[in-house]
């Protein structure tokens, strides 16, 4: 329960700092634990697949499966890169920073042990 309040507090704190139209969307809320299937997959599909899939610009690092996303979170600087501000070198996605609530959900997924289902 404390995690939900912390996530809510962080979302409200960062909601005032809007960099893109996507930041103005309603915050994503999750009932139950944050898992790849119920939360993270949709975020990755919406923000990463365009480049990180076979035939994409960054096809050397595909993010199309649970295992690929899990490995990227555990073994690369993915979390650092998605938290960089627009214009910073290496910021992902290159098209513009994801809304903070989406980043918070990925961070929560990692903190929860990267569950698949």
């Amino acid at each position: 329960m404390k995690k939900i309040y912390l996530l809510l507090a962080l979302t409200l704190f960062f909601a005032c700092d809007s960099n893109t139209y996507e930041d103005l969307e309603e915050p994503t809320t999750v009932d139950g634990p944050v898992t790849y299937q119920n939360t993270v997959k949709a975020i990755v599909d919406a923000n990463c697949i365009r480049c990180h899939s076979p035939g994409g610009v960054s096809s050397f690092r595909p993010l199309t499966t649970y295992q690929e996303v899990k490995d990227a979170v555990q073994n690369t600087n993915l979390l650092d890169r998605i938290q960089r501000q627009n214009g910073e070198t290496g910021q992902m996605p290159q098209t513009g920073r994801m809304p903070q609530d989406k980043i918070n959900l990925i961070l929560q997924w990692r903190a929860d042990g990267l569950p698949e289902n």
Side-chain angles (χ1 to χ4, degrees):
M1 192 64 150
K2 289 181 182 180
K3 291 179 184 179
I4 293 172
Y5 286 119
L6 177 61
L7 181 61
L8 181 60
L10 287 172
T11 301
L12 291 173
F13 177 77
F14 287 105
C16 295
D17 181 19
S18 180
N19 295 321
T20 66
Y21 287 109
E22 289 80 21
D23 287 339
L24 300 176
E25 294 177 350
E26 287 294 318
T28 301
T29 57
V30 177
D31 292 330
V34 175
T35 69
Y36 176 76
Q37 287 298 325
N38 76 3
T39 309
V40 175
K41 183 179 185 324
I43 295 169
V44 171
D45 287 352
N47 294 281
C48 310
I49 291 299
R50 183 175 347 151
C51 295
H52 292 276
S53 62
V57 175
S58 297
S59 59
F60 68 92
R61 170 61 72 189
L63 297 173
T64 57
T65 68
Y66 164 73
Q67 193 60 50
E68 290 168 346
V69 175
K70 179 182 173 186
D71 289 346
V73 168
Q74 288 179 317
N75 302 318
T76 71
N77 62 349
L78 177 85
L79 294 178
D80 170 60
R81 294 183 76 175
I82 66 171
Q83 294 181 79
R84 294 180 190 182
Q85 298 300 314
N86 285 329
E88 284 187 55
T89 303
Q91 182 256 330
M92 289 288 158
Q94 292 180 348
T95 56
R97 192 171 194 266
M98 283 190 284
Q100 188 63 46
D101 67 313
K102 307 280 192 279
I103 295 168
N104 290 346
L105 288 168
I106 295 171
L107 294 170
Q108 185 63 49
W109 179 56
R110 180 174 180 240
D112 289 346
L114 306 165
E116 183 173 7
N117 296 311

